[in-house]
């Protein structure tokens, strides 16, 4: 499985926006799924969004539908998560993950902190 490297994250006020990126260093096949999970403080890890590499179809968790958008650039082996209208409850460590089956959890990135202040 291709190692994943994340970038982005940081601190923003409620209502603001952030973009996370995830790049795979190895070859990605059309069956690959790349996505994001997050773990809020003291809570379980939860699904955020995913994109199927070949078709580009996307899936979102209920908490982020309508606010977050995931996309991929095949030539760069990179998926991006555009996060808009951020809320304090979006505060979490965000992990990029990938795999060939659902849910895409075969490979994980190192995690990046997103903090939304009220």
């Amino acid at each position: 499985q291709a190692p994943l490297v994340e970038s982005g994250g940081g601190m923003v006020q409620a209502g603001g926006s952030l973009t996370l990126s995830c790049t795979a260093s190895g070859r990605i096949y059309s069956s690959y799924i790349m996505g994001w999970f997050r773990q809020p403080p003291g809570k379980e890890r939860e699904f955020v969004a995913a994109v199927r590499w070949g078709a580009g179809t996307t899936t979102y968790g209920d908490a982020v539908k309508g606010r977050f958008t995931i996309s991929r650039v095949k030539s760069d082996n990179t998926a991006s998560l555009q996060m808009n209208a951020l809320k304090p409850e979006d505060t979490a460590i965000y992990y990029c993950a990938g795999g060939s089956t659902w849910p895409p959890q075969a490979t994980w990135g190192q995690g990046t902190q997103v903090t939304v202040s009220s």
Side-chain angles (χ1 to χ4, degrees):
Q1 298 286 347
L4 302 173
V5 178
E6 303 162 5
S7 61
M11 183 178 293
V12 66
Q13 289 188 330
S17 298
L18 284 174
T19 302
L20 306 180
S21 294
C22 179
T23 301
S25 60
R27 182 175 179 177
I28 295 181
Y29 294 89
S30 60
S31 60
Y32 195 73
I33 307 167
M34 190 181 289
W36 295 88
F37 293 77
R38 69 185 183 185
Q39 187 163 17
K43 296 185 179 181
E44 298 290 319
R45 190 173 296 185
E46 63 182 11
F47 170 72
V48 176
V51 58
R52 296 183 183 274
W53 210 253
T57 53
T58 57
T59 305
Y60 295 93
D62 289 341
V64 306
K65 284 180 181 177
R67 300 188 297 123
F68 291 12
T69 302
I70 189 170
S71 60
R72 92 271 190 254
V73 177
K74 294 171 102 173
S75 60
D76 292 342
N77 273 11
T78 297
S80 295
L81 183 68
Q82 176 67 41
M83 305 184 291
N84 296 327
L86 283 161
K87 306 175 182 180
E89 51 263 44
D90 293 318
T91 294
I93 300 174
Y94 283 69
Y95 296 91
C96 179
S100 298
T101 59
W102 187 266
Q105 297 180 336
T107 305
W108 292 89
Q110 77 276 14
T112 186
Q113 177 70 45
V114 170
T115 302
V116 184
S117 61
S118 58

